[in-house]
Amino acid sequence: MLKRKFDKSKLPSRHVTEGPERAPHRSYYYAMGMTEDEIHQPLVGVATCWNEAAPCNIALNRQAQAVKMGVKQAFGTPREFTTITVTDGIAMGHEGMRSSLASREAIADTVELTMRGHCYDAIVGLAGCDKSLPGMMMAMVRLNVPSVFIYGGSILPGKAPQVEEIPEEFRTRDLTVQDMFEAVGKHQNNELSDAALDMLERVACPSAGACGGQFTANTMACVSEAIGLALFNSSGAPAPYESRDQYGEASGQAVMDLIEQNIRARDIVTRQSLENAARVVACTGGSTNAGLHLPAIAHEAGIEFYLEDVCEIFRDTPYFVDLKPGGQYVAKDLYDAGGLPVVMKELRKAGLIHEDCVTASTRSIGEELDMIAREADGQVIYPIENPITKTGGVVGLKGNLATEGAIVKVAGIPSQHQRFVGPARVFECEQDAFEAVQKREYKEGEVIVIRNEGPAGGPGMREMLATTAALSGQGMGKKVALITDGRFSGATRGFCVGHVGPEAYHCGPIALLKDGDVITIDAITGELSVDLSDEDLAARKEAWPGPRETIYASGALWKYAQLVGDIYKGAVTHPGGKADKHDYMSL
């Protein structure tokens, strides 16, 4: 590769490397072994969420070294730094889950501050866990610098021992952490022995990488490619594959091309690319959390792309990729079938993709898709003209119980089961609901309501996988429904409605429900309502005692609760790109 010259007078790093007055700054760089050439090249932040919290993140440090090699090969100077991660699989089912969504903001904030403080010119961001992916992409769009995202990769599927103690349903399928949460329900139901549970927990997660189904991490990894911030097919290879290092190296080289051509994150993340991303979530039966993260990423660019906008895309997008939790296959299977490029190629056949959107490769989506030779295999990826269902695997709901909207995943649920009418059984928090489920203190046909779990009221908008998985494990996943102003894990299955807004903390209608109120959930018509008149709701609002008090009266979660905004806008904590009064690259 021929050495390229970059005009440092137009790059932020000039503030720390150029001119006699920056001699003290350069002395720091010499202290770290940098050469004169390296100091005067563009400085590229290589940001990772590496830690030893979970397998999702453990391979990121290795992959970052490949990224740095690519940056160096293209005559840039990589500067590696790390930020936090909260891993949902370990935070799930207890107070730790309150930190999960708040960590998305902390990741975006800390990456922004590190980039600003050291005047880096561009960023390659590596992430592996549910909230770290959108958090990293939010930072890129907020800073509006040349940016390339790279996913750390999924975990390999687990395999159960072929022994009689383990039920056949576990022995005959690939295992993910979803199976472990559901195994807990079966254990509580006396359908799984202590020995079988012990054997399963040792084999369900056999490698580094994020949860293997189309849960939130893999959903947002697909989003990173569809939205254009990641190189095509870079999200597919499982974390242990050394081929991931080739994508890392290519991503490092790509960011230098973006610097040279002055292509920045907001050139890539547009209304059209956000619509492409929503299409991909719908057709793969992805996580409902995308309904929270896509508006948040849009917010950083100053684009109004709210939950309702996302759900409109979902409504007319066929569901044709058969992935867990609603389907059969795992992320590795999607990669083996050709990955997201083949999925987007099918979407293009139906005219459902904006082809002109630019990507991190500097090529357009259309140009990238022209290079894809593979076709849908008909097993993991169905041809779009013969989809699993004609509408998306995720659906938006509205009504007098959710005036600002709600969201439900219907992938894998037959259409005749997408309407549920039943009496409410109300719980004031997730723990109360989980304990009731454990004790079987609910009835078939009920709508379990979990409130006070929204972004402000929780605080933190917890996910409810422990509760939903316990219901599935008890064989009740199709016999009850569940609604909450909190969230559901991407691994959740069953008729579970999340993101109900306004949340109970703000006296949304969910705050006014009582046991026995008849609730209608209809994913076909998009309805979420309660059989109460406007006058009934007004009277209950008048008598409402106010928000439920939480134990978080100081610290990060208290601060988050004070700042966090509406669910339908992405639960963001600052005014966003619309309020920008400066351009970081021009300071």
Side-chain angles (χ1 to χ4, degrees), residues 102-123:
S103 77
R104 184 190 73 180
E105 313 308 306
I107 290 163
D109 291 350
T110 52
V111 170
E112 176 197 1
L113 292 172
T114 302
M115 291 285 292
R116 286 183 180 274
H118 304 99
C119 297
Y120 294 155
D121 301 316
I123 183 172

Side-chain angles (χ1 to χ4, degrees), residues 71-150:
V71 172
K72 288 178 179 179
Q73 288 169 352
F75 304 103
T77 301
R79 307 312 298 156
E80 184 179 354
F81 65 93
T82 60
T83 183
I84 68 158
T85 317
V86 172
T87 298
D88 288 7
I90 289 176
M92 192 73 67
H94 54 87
E95 286 292 303
M97 178 48 76
R98 300 198 187 282
S99 300
S100 170
L101 186 58
S103 77
R104 184 190 73 180
E105 313 308 306
I107 290 163
D109 291 350
T110 52
V111 170
E112 176 197 1
L113 292 172
T114 302
M115 291 285 292
R116 286 183 180 274
H118 304 99
C119 297
Y120 294 155
D121 301 316
I123 183 172
V124 180
L126 299 93
C129 262
D130 295 5
K131 306 309 169 294
S132 61
L133 279 79
M136 190 68 73
M137 288 185 267
M138 287 163 66
M140 293 171 172
V141 179
R142 184 184 302 177
L143 288 160
N144 196 25
V145 295
S147 304
V148 181
F149 178 86
I150 184 163

Side-chain angles (χ1 to χ4, degrees), residues 16-17 21-34 39:
V16 295
T17 64
E21 68 277 14
R22 301 310 180 201
H25 306 66
R26 290 192 294 272
S27 72
Y28 274 43
Y29 291 124
Y30 283 120
M32 292 183 282
M34 287 170 62
I39 291 170

Side-chain angles (χ1 to χ4, degrees), residues 122-203:
I123 183 172
V124 180
L126 299 93
C129 262
D130 295 5
K131 306 309 169 294
S132 61
L133 279 79
M136 190 68 73
M137 288 185 267
M138 287 163 66
M140 293 171 172
V141 179
R142 184 184 302 177
L143 288 160
N144 196 25
V145 295
S147 304
V148 181
F149 178 86
I150 184 163
Y151 179 42
S154 75
I155 203 167
L156 292 171
K159 302 288 184 182
Q162 299 300 302
V163 296
E164 287 187 8
E165 292 96 322
I166 296 177
E168 185 180 1
E169 64 183 287
F170 291 102
R171 298 200 308 265
T172 56
R173 68 185 186 221
D174 286 338
L175 300 179
T176 69
V177 72
Q178 170 198 353
D179 296 286
M180 288 314 306
F181 279 98
E182 293 184 6
V184 170
K186 289 194 175 295
H187 180 263
Q188 291 166 350
N189 211 32
N190 297 316
E191 295 177 32
L192 197 68
S193 68
D194 290 347
L197 188 65
D198 180 71
M199 282 187 274
L200 287 172
E201 72 184 49
R202 295 172 189 271
V203 298

Side-chain angles (χ1 to χ4, degrees), residues 13 48 77 107-108 115 147 256 281 295 336 341 345 378 392 429 434 451 459 465-466 485 494 567 576:
S13 63
T48 83
T77 301
I107 290 163
M115 291 285 292
S147 304
M256 298 306 297
V281 175
D336 291 341
K345 191 174 174 182
C429 64
F434 185 59
R451 64 188 177 200
L465 180 58
D485 54 3
I567 296 169

Side-chain angles (χ1 to χ4, degrees), residues 339-352:
L340 192 72
V342 175
V343 174
M344 294 188 74
K345 191 174 174 182
E346 289 300 310
L347 287 167
R348 179 167 73 167
K349 290 176 183 177
L352 296 176

Side-chain angles (χ1 to χ4, degrees), residues 245-278:
D245 295 347
Q246 297 171 10
Y247 288 110
E249 194 172 318
S251 296
Q253 293 174 354
V255 82
M256 298 306 297
D257 293 334
L258 295 176
I259 294 173
E260 186 173 53
Q261 297 185 38
N262 193 28
I263 297 173
R264 307 185 194 179
R266 294 187 196 176
D267 297 319
I268 291 171
V269 177
T270 63
R271 173 72 187 221
Q272 288 71 33
S273 72
L274 287 159
E275 291 177 359
N276 286 346

